[in-house]
Amino acid sequence: MMINRGIFALYIIFQSYLAIGQQIDDQQLWLNMNLKSEINNRWSVEISPEIRYNKGMQGFKNFNFQIEPAFRIVKDLFADISYRIYTNRTTDDYRIQMGLTYKSKFNNNIRWNSRLSYYFDTKTFDSDYFNEYPVERVLRIRNSVSKQVKKFSFAAISDLRFRINANSTENFNTNRYGITFEYEFHKGHSFQLSNLINTKYSKTSKTDYILSLNYSYEFKLRKLLKTIKKKSRQMKIS
């Protein structure tokens, strides 16, 4: 019964945001999925497909797909590298990102995550293109503080980005902040609902409002393979 109440509460909040967001031209809707597998005690890999809508959540913006292997350096420190492709109706863009993430707990219910990463965006990996059109290089600092109450958690997020191109006259690029609600409805399975404000700075600043709905599933690969092997043996015996 508690599962039904949690999902129903997120559904009501999501529908309320949809009704309001469709009246705002700068409102975006992001629908994404995170599939994370722990390969062993050190390595994990995460796959994240996502579709984005803009223009009051009614116009297709892009589809992107990301794969991110991560390595646990010490207990609370992780290193990762990711590859992402953005595609819309006319063009494709690519992003390579490398980061360090530190995770800590103040007590059993409050967590703080801090991530420092570097990425660059490009339309091709052709060296001639790099020489003629310098890619955008960005330093990204993301912090979040979350509190867990039973199967629910609430987080405040800050995401700052700084251009580090040699010829860039405007270093501060993007300020994104907001709140996230998460509900774990089954072990390893959760829904996340985020409300974000994203401001990009150039000669003139532009602010967008983002409603993000995410489904996450985390599993241990070795445990999953053992379960599959066990079930296959049982089927052969029967």
Side-chain angles (χ1 to χ4, degrees), residues 9-21:
L10 286 179
Y11 174 77
I12 293 299
I13 296 172
F14 180 67
Q15 287 294 326
S16 301
Y17 274 121
L18 279 181
I20 297 171

Side-chain angles (χ1 to χ4, degrees), residues 177-191:
Y177 58 94
I179 55 175
T180 295
F181 305 94
E182 182 175 358
Y183 175 62
E184 185 179 15
F185 61 92
H186 190 67
K187 186 176 181 179
H189 300 262
S190 64
F191 281 117

Side-chain angles (χ1 to χ4, degrees), residues 78-89:
F78 301 82
D80 62 76
I81 183 169
S82 65
Y83 167 80
R84 174 179 286 191
I85 177 172
Y86 296 84
T87 181
N88 55 36
R89 292 186 176 91

Side-chain angles (χ1 to χ4, degrees), residues 214-227:
N214 172 267
Y215 163 71
S216 294
Y217 174 46
E218 295 188 18
F219 62 95
K220 294 183 179 181
L221 183 60
R222 287 185 298 177
K223 186 176 180 179
L224 179 62
L225 293 176
K226 286 182 180 179
T227 302

Side-chain angles (χ1 to χ4, degrees), residues 118-122 129-130 132-139 161-173:
Y118 159 84
Y119 70 81
F120 68 88
D121 293 329
T122 181
Y129 177 88
F130 287 169
E132 187 173 356
Y133 304 100
V135 299
E136 183 177 61
R137 296 176 173 86
V138 177
L139 186 67
R161 307 183 193 192
F162 302 86
R163 290 191 188 95
I164 54 177
N165 294 38
N167 59 349
S168 177
T169 57
E170 298 173 344
N171 293 324
F172 189 49
N173 183 7

